[in-house]
Amino acid sequence: MISSPEQQAVDAAITSRRSIRAFLSTPVERADIAAILEVASRAPSGTNTQPWKVYVLTGAARDALCARITEAYRDPEQNRRHQEEYAYYPREWKSPYIDRRRKVGWDLYALLGLTRDNKEGMAAQHARNFNFFDAPVGMIFTIDRVMEQGSWLDYGMFLQGIMIAARARGLDTCPQAAFTQFHAIIAEQLSLPDNEMVVCGMALGVADPARIENALVTEREPVERFATFVDDAPGIVNDAY
């Protein structure tokens, strides 16, 4: 089947998306950020509830939040006082999920020359999350506490829309669950109303091609391992695709 230019453009935007962990200081125009969010807002949501809310941070506002969270992360006493409001990851890990998690972690650390016994180096790399990996634009996403699990599914499609729309404009992103641990600092710094819960953060900017960590490309399972094709005839499963 011959692909159209439109298909190629969409596929390229999706497949070229990666979590970038080092950005250039190149500024992103406010109009471009607004356009990305406008495109992403076309994401589907149950009965058009549109459960997303975004705080876009640049300049001094971004730097102030980064400084406060980084200080709390590096201070063991403060760090212990900050806990996530929701469980992003499983409370009990099992294969194959734990295997994939470990692989991406050690692949990243290997690129950075970090060994298993270099706990300080790994902590320093994790702390880069809280500076949005030097991206000039940081985003914090919140959701109203009354919303249930379905709205969180909708939220994921909105976040994906942002990342794909950014790629279409030659920009890169990194979605960041790490910010959820410090939701109390975020709430205070951004004056969040009590009904809003922090979902995650996201870095937005231009990838630094010289940084080795941006060479990381994570693996994906082939379609035949996660998809089952079911024929029209009841009870017949076709595993071939």
Side-chain angles (χ1 to χ4, degrees), residues 126-137:
H126 187 73
R128 287 181 45 73
N129 270 285
F130 308 122
N131 196 40
F132 293 103
F133 295 111
D134 296 325
V137 181

Side-chain angles (χ1 to χ4, degrees), residues 34-45:
I36 289 169
L37 294 174
E38 183 176 6
V39 169
S41 73
R42 297 305 306 177
S45 60

Side-chain angles (χ1 to χ4, degrees), residues 28-36 169:
V28 180
E29 295 293 332
R30 181 167 180 168
D32 289 330
I33 302 170
I36 289 169
R169 290 161 174 79

Side-chain angles (χ1 to χ4, degrees), residues 61-212:
R62 172 204 170 282
D63 296 347
L65 179 65
C66 292
R68 285 201 60 190
I69 295 179
T70 300
E71 179 185 5
Y73 172 74
R74 289 177 172 166
D75 183 322
E77 184 176 345
Q78 288 191 64
N79 197 320
R80 283 191 294 270
R81 293 203 302 264
H82 292 280
Q83 301 294 327
E84 296 87 349
E85 280 198 280
Y86 72 93
Y88 183 90
Y89 293 108
R91 299 185 188 281
E92 293 185 16
W93 286 94
K94 66 177 185 179
S95 185
Y97 315 112
I98 186 61
D99 307 314
R100 295 169 184 163
R101 175 183 171 88
R102 285 171 175 161
K103 177 171 173 44
V104 70
W106 289 120
D107 284 352
L108 174 62
Y109 291 147
L111 285 173
L112 294 168
L114 297 174
T115 59
R116 292 175 184 267
D117 58 345
N118 190 349
K119 304 301 183 185
E120 185 176 339
M122 288 189 283
Q125 174 60 26
H126 187 73
R128 287 181 45 73
N129 270 285
F130 308 122
N131 196 40
F132 293 103
F133 295 111
D134 296 325
V137 181
M139 291 184 280
I140 297 293
F141 300 91
T142 68
I143 190 170
D144 195 304
R145 296 177 186 278
V146 303
M147 307 308 279
E148 295 290 350
Q149 191 170 16
S151 293
W152 287 73
L153 296 175
D154 298 339
Y155 218 122
M157 292 185 277
F158 171 68
L159 294 171
Q160 173 79 341
I162 292 174
M163 293 183 277
I164 300 310
R167 287 300 306 131
R169 290 161 174 79
L171 298 170
D172 290 283
T173 55
C174 185
Q176 298 169 273
F179 279 101
T180 62
Q181 178 186 355
F182 299 99
H183 60 88
I185 292 176
I186 294 170
E188 181 181 343
Q189 196 74 15
L190 302 183
S191 299
L192 299 184
D194 291 341
N195 65 296
E196 289 185 25
M197 176 186 289
V198 174
V199 174
C200 66
M202 185 184 293
L204 171 67
V206 177
D208 185 346
R211 294 290 290 269
I212 188 63

